[in-house]
């Protein structure tokens, strides 16, 4: 690290979002140095009541709210609007993930924000976007997976459509929103203009469909679910070893001969059809069976030694416990430690973006409910002790 300022030093962000996509976006901005104020209800946002718990605190909330100042505000209270307006005047960026139309009902729609702060950047994250016939419909991660086509292409060919094992739609949407925010900040730096960034979970997941989507659009093809197989090349699949499962990807014209020699099946190279990708795809089941027979008599370590020596991409199918303890994850600093005000040292996922001059940092643990009320309302908004007490007594904060 060179000691250079963080890329977003001086950028002020008002985080009005909840759950995963919005908070993830704001956390990315915070990791890169933005001053982020997270607003939630006086009793805490809904996610604070989600399991699992660590010493009484939801770890769900901790995942998406580090490096933020935490303040409470009952946004439905009649006196909340004036506070929200002051926070908007303070902010450079507002992140929200209410259903479209909600912030207008709150009195802080985009037009009003521009009146308060002409160069404001509003990042609106929603299920289906701010426009279109489904824009007002509610959405959670699983709904995005179902609505986008992702669920339909996930799972075994003869099985049911399947969710992924994590909240992939929320994460991708949050990261896309962060990219949009960075672009809007660059535009503002050049022109002085703010703008609205509109990111929909449906759009974010639709954009990830890749080959299946383009095959449909350009060729009219509907590729079925393929389980762990590769859509385009073979042999590629997960194989059972004596002590676990291992994924092997050797479907290209360059890798297939190396695999055959590695597993002692040079005879497969003598079949003319096996010299091309379409030929191997036509004989996919038999080729996979040959690899499966070889793998079944060996340990994952023995298989890895052969594949590594041959330069063939592979990985043991790691458990969460395995990967969390791996030397590679440690070397990449993908688990970081932070000091929580109540829980002491806690471990969190690191930021995957590595930069040699302005890396993301973890400076502050996820806040407790209202932990930074005094800092936000006194130091940022200039409220007096008397005003703070009145706001607390009246249940506004």
């Amino acid at each position: 690290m060179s000691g250079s300022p963080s890329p977003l030093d001086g950028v002020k962000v008002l985080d009005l979002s909840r759950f995963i996509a919005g908070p993830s976006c704001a956390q990315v901005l915070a990791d890169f140095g933005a001053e982020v104020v997270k607003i939630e209800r006086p009793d805490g946002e809904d996610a604070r009541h989600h399991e699992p718990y660590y010493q009484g605190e939801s770890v769900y909330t901790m995942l998406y709210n580090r490096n933020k100042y935490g303040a409470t505000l009952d946004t439905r209270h009649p006196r909340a609007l004036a506070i929200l307006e002051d926070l908007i005047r303070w902010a450079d960026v507002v992140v929200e993930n209410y259903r479209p139309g909600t912030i207008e009902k709150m009195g802080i729609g985009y037009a009003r924000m521009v009146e308060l702060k002409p160069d404001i950047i509003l990042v609106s994250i929603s299920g289906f976007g701010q426009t279109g016939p489904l824009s007002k419909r509610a959405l959670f991660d699983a709904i995005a997976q179902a609505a986008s086509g992702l669920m339909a292409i996930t799972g075994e060919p003869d099985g049911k459509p399947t969710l992924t094992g994590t909240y992939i739609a929320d994460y991708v949407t949050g990261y896309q929103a962060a990219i949009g925010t960075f672009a809007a900040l660059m535009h503002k730096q050049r022109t002085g203009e703010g703008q609205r960034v509109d990111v929909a979970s449906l759009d974010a997941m639709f954009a990830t469909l890749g080959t299946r989507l383009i095959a449909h659009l350009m060729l009219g093809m509907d590729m079925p679910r393929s389980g762990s197989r590769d859509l385009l090349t073979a042999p590629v699949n997960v194989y059972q070893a004596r002590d676990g499962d291992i994924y092997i990807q050797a479907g290209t014209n360059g890798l297939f001969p190396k695999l055959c020699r590695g597993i002692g099946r040079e005879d497969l190279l003598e079949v003319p059809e096996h010299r091309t990708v379409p030929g191997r795809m036509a004989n996919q089941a038999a080729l996979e069976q040959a690899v499966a027979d070889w793998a079944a008599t060996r340990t994952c370590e023995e298989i890895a030694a052969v594949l590594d020596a041959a330069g063939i991409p592979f990985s043991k199918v790691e458990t969460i416990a395995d990967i969390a303890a791996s030397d590679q994850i440690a070397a990449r600093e993908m688990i970081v430690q932070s000091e929580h005000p109540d829980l002491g040292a806690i471990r969190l996922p690191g930021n995957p973006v590595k930069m040699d001059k302005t890396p993301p940092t973890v400076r502050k643990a996820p806040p407790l409910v209202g932990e930074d009320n005094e800092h936000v309302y006194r130091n940022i908004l200039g409220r007096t002790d008397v005003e703070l007490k009145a706001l607390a007594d009246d249940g506004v904060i």
Side-chain angles (χ1 to χ4, degrees):
M1 292 177 58
S2 66
S4 300
S6 296
L8 297 187
D9 273 355
V11 174
K12 301 168 183 174
V13 179
L14 174 60
D15 180 9
L16 299 177
S17 65
R18 305 143 304 147
F19 297 110
I20 299 176
S24 292
C25 169
Q27 181 171 277
V28 170
L29 305 179
D31 283 358
F32 282 103
E35 182 181 2
V36 179
V37 170
K38 160 91 175 190
I39 297 296
E40 56 186 317
R41 298 192 310 255
D43 62 342
E45 67 165 300
D46 289 335
R48 288 192 183 271
H49 308 292
H50 289 187
E51 294 181 342
Y53 294 101
Y54 176 68
Q55 295 185 31
E57 292 288 332
S58 169
V59 299
Y60 183 108
T61 305
M62 294 181 200
L63 278 171
Y64 321 111
N65 290 294
R66 66 172 176 236
N67 288 335
K68 301 179 185 181
Y69 293 108
T72 54
L73 179 67
D74 180 359
T75 57
R76 297 184 179 183
H77 196 285
R79 293 169 60 189
L81 180 58
I83 294 174
L84 285 170
E85 290 184 340
D86 282 349
L87 286 166
I88 291 165
R89 291 187 185 98
W90 164 83
D92 299 299
V93 177
V94 176
V95 178
E96 61 92 10
N97 63 349
Y98 293 106
R99 202 180 304 188
T102 300
I103 58 172
E104 284 74 18
K105 293 177 182 177
M106 294 167 63
I108 54 167
Y110 181 52
R112 178 56 179 157
M113 289 190 189
V114 171
E115 291 177 356
L116 296 167
K117 186 75 174 286
D119 62 351
I120 195 72
I121 294 170
L122 172 60
V123 181
S124 292
I125 301 169
S126 61
F128 296 93
Q130 302 298 310
T131 57
L134 300 181
S135 62
K136 297 295 193 293
R137 184 182 290 183
L139 180 143
F140 284 96
D141 180 281
I143 307 303
Q145 293 190 42
S148 66
L150 176 63
M151 188 184 294
I153 64 175
T154 304
E156 294 299 325
D158 56 351
K160 291 183 178 180
T162 305
L163 282 171
T164 64
T166 187
Y167 301 114
I168 190 67
D170 282 339
Y171 289 122
V172 171
T173 304
Y175 297 152
Q176 296 281 23
I179 292 170
T181 307
F182 276 103
L185 285 166
M186 290 183 68
H187 177 77
K188 178 178 175 178
Q189 186 179 51
R190 289 198 304 266
T191 68
E193 296 177 332
Q195 62 184 298
R196 189 171 195 176
V197 179
D198 172 9
V199 180
S201 291
L202 177 65
D203 298 350
M205 294 318 299
F206 182 78
T208 69
L209 298 178
T211 305
R212 293 179 184 272
L213 175 61
I214 203 69
H216 168 73
L217 294 176
M218 298 182 68
L219 303 172
M221 292 176 59
D222 183 14
M223 295 181 173
R225 288 188 296 277
S226 56
S228 297
R229 284 176 162 175
D230 186 74
L231 281 173
L232 307 174
T233 63
V236 178
N237 212 328
V238 59
Y239 301 95
Q240 186 172 3
R242 284 169 48 194
D243 59 349
D245 294 309
I246 192 162
Y247 197 89
I248 303 173
Q249 188 143 3
T252 68
N253 289 337
L255 290 172
F256 179 67
K258 295 179 180 180
L259 177 68
C260 291
R261 288 189 285 270
I263 68 174
R265 290 297 308 271
E266 288 88 345
D267 59 295
L268 296 174
L269 296 173
E270 298 172 6
V271 180
E273 290 83 0
H274 293 170
R275 297 170 188 167
T276 67
V277 171
R280 291 194 297 277
M281 287 296 287
N283 202 21
Q284 189 174 24
L287 291 176
E288 289 180 347
Q289 188 61 54
V291 181
D293 291 344
W294 173 78
T297 62
R298 291 162 174 82
T299 66
C300 287
E301 186 175 355
E302 291 168 343
I303 295 169
V306 172
L307 300 179
D308 216 9
I312 296 170
F314 73 94
S315 178
K316 181 176 180 290
V317 179
E318 305 282 11
T319 66
I320 298 298
D322 289 338
I323 189 61
S326 80
D327 293 339
Q328 182 65 25
I329 289 296
R332 296 292 293 171
E333 297 181 339
M334 282 307 300
I335 297 178
V336 295
Q337 187 165 297
S338 185
E339 285 296 321
H340 191 275
D342 278 0
L343 306 178
I346 59 173
R347 298 200 301 164
L348 300 169
N351 193 302
V353 179
K354 310 303 179 186
M355 303 173 70
D356 63 356
K357 291 185 173 61
T358 56
T361 59
V362 177
R363 306 174 303 281
K364 185 178 184 297
L368 299 169
V369 177
E371 177 184 327
D372 302 298
N373 274 359
E374 185 170 335
H375 171 73
V376 171
Y377 292 117
R378 177 182 290 137
N379 298 343
I380 291 179
L381 298 188
R383 298 299 196 264
T384 65
D385 289 344
V386 172
E387 290 173 314
L388 276 175
K389 185 176 185 306
L391 289 171
D393 289 346
D394 293 345
V396 185
I397 63 174

